[in-house]
Each structure stands twice: as C-alpha cells, then as structure tokens.
C-alpha cells in the first residue's frame, strides 16, 4: 500500500533502495518564496553520511543531492520539489552471500512474506539509506521554520547516559564530538564504549533526545492527530527505533498528580514543563522535548546461525562496513523528522486563524 | 484542521464534547457481512465506563450506544456505521467555577490559544469521554478480527509494577480484579495504592501493557506507515499518554546486538522476541507487545494555584468525581486502538496479495 | 472502502440509509468562531425536502437537524460538528415487493455485487436521501463563505432550456417558482412539462447551472486537485448526475483558439470568461460557472420487466411517491457541494500565503 | 498545498516543470510481482511525445524514462517506483519575451497570484509536459490491469465528429492515422481541418471518447468516491479539459425515464447501456465509456493583445512550436488516467471481498 509519504500539507514522498541506481523523493506543499541555502542542506547530509568518523561505518557515499524542480533562481516556487541522490557505492556482489538468507532481526523475512519478491541487495527498501531523503526534506523544512530551534543529541549509548536535564547542557557542544553528545566528558566515554564494541565486531544501542524551542502555542490537531502522537509516529518510523516518550515520559507514570502538574506563570508559561510543551495534543509555547530509543544494529561481524528461504539453518557472518552504533548518524534524522512534523502542523495551523 | 479521523480503510471519525448533548462517530470501511454481537460491544463499554468500581470516578454514565446505519438485520452492510452515545450526566453547572480558569496540565489553555473559543464545560472535546467512541469502534474491529487475541492489562501503578514477563501471566485474571492486573497479588497492592492516593485527594499514573496474538505475518506499510509507528501514534493519541515502547523498548537501547538479535527457528518463528513481532515495520507472525505510559490525572481534589484567562493567579480546587488513576479504565481503550490499527492494516494488506 | 468523506481540511463524512433510523454526518475542520444562523440552515433543508411542491414527490419528511457537538452558545468551536436527521417516514413495508428485485438503472444490482449484503429497503445507502446531510454541511460552509454568492438554478428540463447567458438572468427569480428557473416564462413551460410527465407515470431529466461569484484569485491545487476537477468530482458524486462542464464546456471544444481566448483587462479581469473563472486549475477572480446534467429518475410508475436476485425475469411497477424530475430539489444540493469545495480550497489556500 | 498526488492505494505523485532539468514521479502502491514490458511503456510515451507527426508540435523530446527503484530484475517489488524524464529541449531563451507577460487563457496570471513567484519559462508546472509522467504510470497500471481493454480515441475535432456509436467502430484503426480516430474517412477530414487551422496559426479543440472493457462488477466507493466521479476528476485534471460526461451524458438529461432505463438480461448484463457501465457509483460489468472535451490550445501564432505583470497592455505573438490541436496527443493521457483510476479502485475493491 502507499505508505511512502509523510505529512498532510508539507508532504514528503520517498523512493529508492540501498543498492538501486538512486534514491530520492518529492516534497509537495513546501510554500513558495523560501530562498534556499544549499550549503545548509549539504551540511545536514554530511552529518548523516557514512564515513564521517571512526565510530561509524567506513562506507563512502558522497550523498550529493540533485534538485530537479520546484526551485527557480534559488527560491521555492510552491510546486513539488523533486530530488535524487545517486547511489555511488552499490557493491551488489557484497551481498550475494545473503541472497537466500534471512538475517536475524532484519526485515529480510518480513519483506519476503509481504511482497513475495525480494531485492536481496542489502536492506533494499528497508535500509536506513532511505533516511537520507528525509534529511533533505528536513533541511528544507528547517529553512521554512527559521525562527525555531531544533536540536537533537545523543543522550545515551548503551548504559552510558547523560545525567543532566537538557537545560544544563550547551547545545553548541553537540557537533564538537563525533558521538554528538553535548557533554564532552560523557561524550568521551560514549566514544570509547563504541570503540570497544566495534573491536568485538558487535553493535550497541542508545537514546537520542530532541528539543524544539520557540514553537508557537496552538500547533496540533486533536483528537487523533495530536502533535505528540504525530511526533511519535515520525520517530517510530525511523529504522531501529523501539520507543518514544515526551515530557515526563515513562518516569511521569510513577508520579502523583500533585507533583506532576505544571504550575502556570501569569504569562501562560509554566514553572515546570513535565507536559513537554504539549497539552491535550496542542503546543503550549514551552519547549517540546522527547526521547527516542534505538536498538543495537542487527548486523554484527560475529558468526551467527540463521535460516535461509527454504528454512534450513545456515551460519552467517556480517561482512562489509557497518555501524557499531547507529545513534550518532541518527541525530540529524531525528531533527529532520521533527522539522517535517512541525512544518506540516504549522501549515495546518494557518487555516484556523484569521 | 480535520484531525478527528483515524485509519485509512477501516476509518473512525468521532465527534462530541463531554458536556454536549451527545458524542458519537462514524465507522467507514468496515467490511460487509460481519454478524455483530451487540452484547460484546456493550461489555467493552462497561469496562471503560465510570462508576464501575470503587477505584474509579463515581460519576454515573450508562454509555448506551445507538446505531443508526450500516447494520441491517444484525449484520454489517459495508456502508458507514453511524452511532451516538447520549450524555446523560452533563451537570454543566458543576463547571461554572472554572469558566475562566485554566486548569494546570489540562488542555484549557491550549484549546483557548488554538481556537479562540472555549467550551468551558469540563474538558469539552479534550475530555477522555471521547474515548467511549473509540471503544465502540474497537469492539466492532475486534469482531472483524475474530481470530486475533488482543489483551491489555495494567502492568504498573506508580512504582508498583509487574515483575514477570507477560508469558508467565494468566490473562484470564485480568478481569477478576478492578485494577485489571493479571497478577492477583500485585493487583491487591495496586488497588490499595490507588485507595491511599484517592484518600489524599491526589492521583497517580501507571503503565498498560498490550499483547496481540495470532497476527499474520505481512502487516505493515513501510517506510512511514510502519506497523509499530501507527500503533505508537494510536496509543499516543489516547488522553494522558506520555510514552510508547514495543518489543525490547527502552531497555533494548542498552543492549549489544549479539544479545539483542532474535534467532530464527526453521519455521520462521524466533526463539526470542525482542523485535516485539515487528521487523522493518512489518509483522513477522510473533506476538506483538508494547507498553503505554500514562501520567497521573491532572485534576486532583487538592487546592492549587493557577491562572485565569486574564492572567491573574487564582486558587482552585478540583470538584466533582474524578479518577484517582486512569489506568484501569484505559485498558479497554488501549485494546480498542490496537484493534483499529490491526483492522486497518489487515484491509491494507489485502490489496498486496493475490 | 472508506468513501464517505469529502474534503481535505473542511471535511464532511456522512452516514445513513433512506430507511434506517437516521442519517447524519460529521463536519470536521470547520473553523472556530462562526456564529451560525440555524434558520438559514433549515431554509436550505426545506429547499431540498420532499413534499415542498406539486412537481416533486409528495412524501413528507420534516428533515429537522439535531446538532450534537462543535457548537457552543451558537458559535462553532473548531471541534467536529456532529449532526443527525431522524428518518420519520421509513414505511419499510412499502419495499417488501422489491426485496429480491433489481430495479433497472438503480444501484440494487451493483450494491449486491459489491457487498454481498443488501439493505433492500428503498435505495438504502444509494438513495438521494443521503444528500440531505450534504445540504446541512453546505449551509454551514456558505456561512463560513459569507462574502461569496453561490447560485444554482434549473437551466433545462428535458428539451426545454434557458436561451440566455446567466448574466442576463435575475437570480432573485430562482425561488419565485417551484422549478427554480430564474426565467419566469421558461419556468412555466418546465413546470407544465413535468406535470405532463408525472401524469404519464414517467420521469424526465434536466440540467442545473451553478454560478459562484466573488471568488478570490488563487484557489486551486494543481496538478491533480485542480479547482474545476474537484468541483467536477463533487457534482458527479450527486445521485443521477451524468455530466459536468465548466466555462465554455463542450461547446468550447468546437471553437478556434483565436476566438476562445479571454482577453485581459488591465486590472487582470478578462473581457470574456470562457475559462469559467479558472485557469490552470486555479481561480482567477472571475465568476466560476458550470453545468450539471441529471438523468431522468429511474423509478417510474409504469410497468417494466426486470430480474430478481436469482436471475428470473419479473414484472415490476414503481410504487409510492417518487419525483417526476429530480432537478428542482437538486438545486440546493449542487449549491451545497459547490460551497463544500470552495470552503475546503479556501482553507487549503491559507497555508500558501503569509 | 500537496495537490500533486493522485490515487489512494495505487498512487502517483509527479514533479517537474517544462523547462526545469527533469520531470518525474513516484508510483507508490503498485503491487509486487508484475513483470514489466518496458517497450510497452516507451510505446505509450511515443504516442504522447511531440514531433510524432505533421499535425502536432514539431518540438523534439525523446522522452526516455529512467527508473530508479521499485523494480528488481524486471519485476515490481512492491516498493515505490521512482522515475525521471530528463528535459532535453529546454530552450529557456525562447521564453524571455514572455517573462513579464500574462498569456491569455494560460495559467501565468493565476500561478503568479497564487504563489507570488513565477517560473516564466514556458508553462512551468502548468505545462502539459507534466502529463508525460502520467503516461509512465498509466502504462504500468495497464500492465497490472492486463485483462482490461482501455481504448481512447479522437471523436471530434472542432465540428467534425464521429457519427457512429463506439460499438460500430474498429479500435484497430485508432493508431492507423495520426489523429487517432478509428473511422478512416472522418480521420482524413479531421487531419485536413487541423492542417488548415495550423496554416492560419490558429488552434482548435476537440473531444476524446474512452471505452473501458472487461471491468469486473463491484468497483467504486460510494458515496463521494463514486467510480465515475473519480474518473471525472481524473479527466478534468488533464490540461485543457472543459467537460466530462459518461454513459448517456448530457443527452440523457433530455430523455424520459421510461426510455432511459437499461433493461436487465437474466445474466445481469443490460440490453442497453445508458448507465455507461456504472450504477450508483459502482461498476456493473458493462463497458464504461465517457467523453472528454478539450478547449483549443491557448497559444496561437497570431498577434494578440494582453497585459504584463504591471498591468500594461502589450502585444504578443506565440513563438516556437505549438500544437494546433492537442487532442491526438491527449489520447494516451486519457487512457493513462483511466488506467490509474481503475487500478486504484481495483486495489480498493480487494479489501471488501473475502
């Protein structure tokens, strides 16, 4: 079914497999008149791209975006923005060894069950390569939302996690280290941990926290399209994500109402923000913040038993160049999806106000 | 904007405020030929309704459903099912004292900011009363999905939580106690805890776990409409929900890939199920299970300071009959939303297979 | 499938069969703050309702609308407007004689083929009774669009048609005669013709013209959701409609470009308006006008041969009280659907302008 | 707003301007396992492409399609099919003379009003060049619908029209002449007429008839998404279309019910087919047929007065190579849109049957 579009008015449709000729997408509904900074777009691509540091996959992909429409003399025209990213690093032969094998905790088995046809070259459509298209669209959404600040960062790698609330962190530090953790000391520990895991040919999970600031009050579409529900769906649609919580989250479920409620200041802001910037599915003008849990990458370089498409047990071993931890590269993806949700709800909001 | 519909092919649209004349909805896309058991529908309504036990609000609402269309001689006809639930317990005067007051951690403030008009009678549209309509639709979806088993239960109230995996629980115990926890011993502790909290005029949060069994492989629509992403949105759209995790969830983010991966059996099932029945956004035939975190109810019976619509600080005290803990009544709502998602994806699935 | 909703942002979902307990709908996305005139709504209902004159069916239905939500103290709140119209005139027994019969040129056969279940009481869902819900929503859309003028009228009954362009007609005359033709002389001929047809137990078709004035430039969403394409779909979704043309329409296809083009005045208006107020799918500020062709009502009171559900030939004769010509009662329906389209596109437009 | 997608389950999204680097699209929801014949796809492209005969524009565009995804080893995989058609014939300088000019009966004025930004190079997004993407998707939809026969043909050029019902025509003659009229004698007259018009630097309109055969009963989604309503929208979304009628169409509005009704045969087929294969918005298994009216192309080579963006009157003259009559090249576009509608409704249908 047609599940490759996201958003109602600011809408992204993506296509492409990890080992096809190209991936790409269409951004439909981007307002006209936005002067685009193409360097900023490429900068976001570079934050996601493989080979950027020693703790991510050493695969090389330039990930250059070709824009084919919707932009005239550097400015959006209001017509759909079509773009393509060529796959320069297919290496299909690398994958012949898994042609008939279902890799554990990958989508090989389920895609085969669903479609009855399998593009066995790497993850095909289920590969996180698709997220490069999300970053392109998110980078444009960010330029549309120029007054907002959207910052995601690595808050945990395995059991190593930030011990401070985000208010005590300096977001300027996020890009100063390869793991994208704003606390330099914790960052070093995270990097070391990923290094160990990599040496063992293993992988490790983690958590990304995202903070959206300067959001106007009034964004959100109850009752089913609540702002945090759409943010949750957006994050859960990212590869390897296992959980989402916003504001007080799972910890909030342990509290008493008298302790959990956010007191109002007379200007309508609140003294605490356990609501995470959203009440009743609508933004209240406070910071929106949430956590996204990522499982460890399923492809390890260790030997493991699995089955092939005829149901026989076979031994396999991950080859090639995989991420020991997906979290550092997922930071820009989380920001991109957040930007797409806020852009869409910003457009939806416009028709309610005169 | 039109955010009051859920689902693509099996689609629910709801309307109604807690203190209007009625709430109701339209179920569009329910297949023809389903012989409905109306007692089962009412049974689900009774699991959600107020006044059902000493640990929930003592407000009385019969919550009887009137069906107006889409059913002929007890069988669905394929045309939209329109239904209405009359509000028999409006008591609008109860609410005059909060006419101009923004209750802390409620939607009063955000609805006012968004719409500029406020139905101050109770929660209006933001009230959990709306969820009664979801339970009606979910009860019909369950009958369409008669081969599936969908069981939700209370797994935590505040810090009191189940210490066993769901496989070691007897789901037949869920309805044997008012808190809907399948472990009788833990259930007693939860009930006692809610009783204390209620005595203090306070409220408490909790967690609901949901397990969906006998799901066929192949449900899910990558890349944005992944099955778990839609389940997450469905749960996050329920009042008071702060978090969602499936399979290994947030705990999984602390693990190594070598420990996290689910080994295949030769029949395609897996020895462990950290994937939570979903790989790459598509069901794999194993149990789907997830946790949903609920914050404590914002309305306490204790005095608290807040502001009114002109920004003055005022003291308020919750009146009337509120839930000390929303979790027991939310169990059927979680099941209903799960049923709506699976029903919708079951229909979506049909067009991919010949 | 869920085909009972119309519109993207100003969205109507309807339910109900002609002989069920009630019909109704949900208007989702109507902006907040519109003070509603309920008499105007009932006035539109009365223009559509049966029994209003000697040339329409003598069936009696008060068609009173009960609003259940989305309106507080007479003003829209931005939440979904749920409404119900009780069926006071079911007379199900009237229909037992057609229980197993497929009436020629009705939807009995196709509904049975599609759903395998048939509500044989009259048209069931396929009855034009459903359009009463469209008139309710259209009447609210008109109040949202208070600066526009939407006038539909009967321009042909059988071969009797208006011979003047709409600019030469006085729309104040539309409601002065029962056939709703703004030319009193032609109106008399039409009424006489319908009278003859009725006496023969026969039915006759006709054409409705609709003119929308004061539409701002810029409404329309290329390339697939062109304004005139959505208007066409809206009109073709009305029972018994066989054709739609706008601006120069089918006549325009016979012309040369040099004669067809509309010259601009210096203010951007055009000297002629063969474009019908739409260029490239976007309104240009000129009048939007179009024609809608209605077939003759399929139910005649004459004997005809047909088949039953087992494929045997049977003789049948329409009973009860049917319209000899549907056109006079369809005038408010055409206006309602036009209002719904313009309301939706007006909301869509808002997010494109800053 | 996001108006560049068509279809619900078999969904096409297009992008691209006539003078940008490329046009293209994404086909999302095409079922897996369809072995594609790429020559057939190119054949459809060649039927639409410019320069194919002396009666169409002499502009040259190879219109070669590059597929980037969704196809593996020649077979669809169920993932989105992304494709691109490079614009090899931009000639932007050709258009400098109209940079500030609003061409009469073009979309220049309305796009400028709507978006406030104008890509003045030719029609930009409003150019019929976009329809090349529809033909790609339609060609794939046709292969999915291999049991259906979809034949469109030119039934009128100006006042020269076919005088026979489609049943008396040999569709094998359609491609035997450049105007695509199945009656060789009328075809000659049409070709001669277009030749005259071209010599005068003028343009002329026409009508295309489309016949869809072997459609199963049961396609269509009442009440708003009736099959003929969606077909109407699809056709009205094609550039230059002014009208749509199906079955008896506008002529049917002049008839009596007793003469218009289609008698059933005992097998459920009908003796006549004024219903045009659709009753109550659902296919009945008979041929679906409809007419589509095209206005004369707005760009003539004659001098005409118009205005520029500052509202001054200027004289302009169409340059370059334009179609004297768009109808011959629009025949495959009509077929493509018909195929997209039937493909989408075929998928929608699947979830209603067990």
């Amino acid at each position: 079914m047609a599940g490759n579009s996201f958003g109602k008015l600011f809408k992204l449709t993506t296509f492409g497999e990890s080992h096809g000729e190209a991936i790409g997408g269409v951004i439909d509904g981007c307002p006209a008149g936005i002067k685009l900074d193409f360097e900023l777009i490429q900068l976001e691509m570079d934050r996601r791209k493989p080979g950027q540091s020693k703790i991510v996959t050493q695969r090389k992909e330039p990930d250059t975006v070709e824009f084919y429409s919707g932009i005239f003399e550097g400015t959006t025209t209001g017509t759909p923005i079509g773009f393509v990213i060529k796959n320069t690093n297919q290496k299909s032969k690398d994958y012949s060894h898994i042609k008939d094998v279902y890799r554990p905790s990958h989508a090989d088995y389920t895609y085969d069950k669903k479609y009855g046809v399998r593009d066995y070259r790497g993850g095909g459509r289920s590969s996180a390569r698709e997220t490069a298209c999300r970053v392109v669209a998110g980078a444009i959404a960010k330029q549309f939302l120029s007054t907002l600040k959207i910052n995601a960062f690595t808050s945990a790698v395995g059991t190593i996690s930030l011990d401070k609330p985000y208010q005590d962190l300096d977001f300027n530090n996020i890009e100063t280290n390869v793991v994208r953790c704003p606390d330099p000391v914790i960052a070093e520990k995270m990097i070391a941990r990923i290094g160990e895991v990599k040496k063992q040919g293993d992988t490790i999970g983690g958590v990304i926290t995202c903070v959206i600031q300067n959001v106007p009050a009034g964004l959100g579409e109850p009752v089913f399209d609540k702002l945090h529900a759409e943010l949750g769906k957006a994050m859960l649609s990212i590869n390897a994500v296992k959980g989402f919580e916003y504001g007080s989250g799972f910890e909030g479920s342990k509290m008493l109402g008298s302790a959990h409620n956010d007191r109002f200041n007379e200007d309508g802001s609140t003294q605490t923000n356990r609501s995470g910037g959203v009440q009743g599915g609508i933004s209240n003008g406070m910071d929106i913040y949430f956590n996204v849990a990522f499982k460890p990458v399923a492809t390890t370089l260790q030997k493991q038993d699995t089955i092939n498409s005829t149901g026989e047990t076979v031994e396999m071993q991950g080859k090639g160049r995989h991420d020991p931890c997906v979290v550092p590269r997922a930071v820009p993806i989380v920001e991109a999806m957040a930007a797409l949700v806020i852009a869409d709800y910003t457009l939806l909001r416009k028709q309610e106000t005169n």
Side-chain angles (χ1 to χ4, degrees), chain A:
Chain A
M1 176 269 171
N4 295 282
S5 295
F6 187 82
K8 290 186 173 63
L9 296 182
F10 193 107
K11 188 170 166 191
L12 170 66
T13 301
T14 70
F15 66 82
E17 283 76 48
S18 56
H19 292 65
E21 193 179 336
I23 60 174
V26 184
I27 303 161
D28 196 7
C30 181
I34 301 170
K35 185 116 199 71
L36 293 177
D37 180 331
F38 293 94
E39 285 185 10
L40 280 181
I41 297 171
Q42 191 57 51
L43 192 73
E44 294 291 341
M45 300 303 287
D46 295 343
R47 294 174 72 205
R48 194 211 74 95
K49 83 172 178 208
Q52 65 182 271
S53 78
K54 69 182 193 309
I55 61 166
V56 305
T57 171
Q58 294 309 299
R59 204 168 55 245
K60 295 261 175 259
E61 292 269 9
D63 285 351
T64 348
V65 191
E66 299 169 35
F67 290 101
Y68 287 160
S69 66
I71 302 165
F72 183 53
E73 297 170 345
T75 300
T76 60
T77 61
T79 62
I81 300 169
F83 64 90
V84 163
I85 304 166
K86 294 282 166 61
N87 288 331
T88 60
N89 191 357
Q90 280 115 310
K91 288 248 181 97
S92 288
K93 57 180 145 16
D94 275 3
Y95 288 86
S96 52
H97 67 295
I98 54 156
K99 177 171 181 172
D100 300 314
V101 172
Y102 297 137
R103 293 166 297 167
S105 294
H106 273 85
D108 302 341
Y109 177 80
T110 52
Y111 268 67
D112 211 356
K113 287 291 162 212
K114 183 181 182 70
Y115 299 109
V117 177
R118 181 178 159 208
D119 178 345
Y120 54 77
R121 302 166 301 167
R125 183 62 180 160
S126 71
S127 162
R129 173 134 190 79
E130 179 269 342
T131 58
C133 301
R134 306 186 185 202
V135 172
V136 174
I140 290 174
K142 280 182 178 181
Q143 297 189 35
F144 165 57
L145 301 169
S146 50
T147 59
L148 268 68
K149 287 192 208 140
I150 304 177
N151 285 288
F153 53 86
T154 300
S155 49
V157 169
T159 53
I160 303 165
S161 65
L162 278 171
D163 42 15
K164 309 194 187 78
Y166 75 82
Q167 293 85 344
D168 302 347
L169 298 167
D170 179 355
F171 293 165
N172 296 315
N173 291 335
I174 295 172
E175 292 301 315
T176 61
N177 59 76
V178 293
V179 77
R180 299 200 163 88
C181 173
D183 180 321
V185 181
I186 307 282
E188 279 320 305
K189 293 183 188 162
M190 291 174 169
I191 293 163
R193 182 72 182 114
I194 294 173
E196 289 162 29
V197 166
K198 185 183 177 187
K199 213 172 280 105
Q200 298 155 16
D202 211 335
T203 61
I204 191 163
V207 178
I208 290 175
T209 297
C210 184
V211 183
I212 314 175
Q213 296 169 298
N214 301 345
V215 181
L219 300 192
E221 304 300 337
V223 292
F224 293 109
D225 297 339
K226 293 184 164 100
L227 182 57
H228 59 271
E230 196 68 14
L231 281 167
K233 178 179 176 176
M235 298 307 146
L236 288 156
S237 78
I238 299 171
N239 308 50
V241 172
K242 303 295 289 186
F244 171 86
E245 61 179 357
Y246 79 104
S248 60
F250 277 85
E251 276 308 300
S253 70
K254 300 178 183 163
M255 296 175 71
L256 295 178
S258 53
H260 190 275
N261 284 354
D262 294 315
R263 291 241 161 109
F264 278 108
N265 299 312
E266 297 201 336
D267 64 358
S269 65
T270 56
Q271 292 164 31
T272 52
N273 182 19
R274 297 185 189 89
S275 299
V278 183
Q279 281 160 339
I282 301 168
S283 63
N284 67 355
M286 301 292 289
D287 293 351
I288 293 174
Y289 63 97
F290 53 84
N291 296 323
V292 186
F294 289 78
K295 71 172 186 177
V297 175
T299 301
T300 73
L301 300 185
Q302 305 175 343
K303 283 203 180 60
Q304 30 182 353
D305 281 346
T306 189
I307 60 170
N308 61 23
S309 50
T310 53
E312 300 155 325
T313 300
V314 292
E315 189 189 62
M316 69 165 291
Q317 179 166 18
K319 286 195 193 149
R321 299 142 302 175
H322 297 284
D323 286 287
C325 181
V326 77
V327 169
R329 289 180 57 207
V331 165
I333 303 166
V334 165
E335 290 180 3
M337 291 308 295
L340 287 174
V341 171
I342 302 297
D344 196 36
Y345 278 69
T346 299
L347 295 184
L348 289 167
R349 170 71 169 143
K350 286 201 183 184
Q351 44 85 14
E352 296 151 340
T353 47
N354 288 309

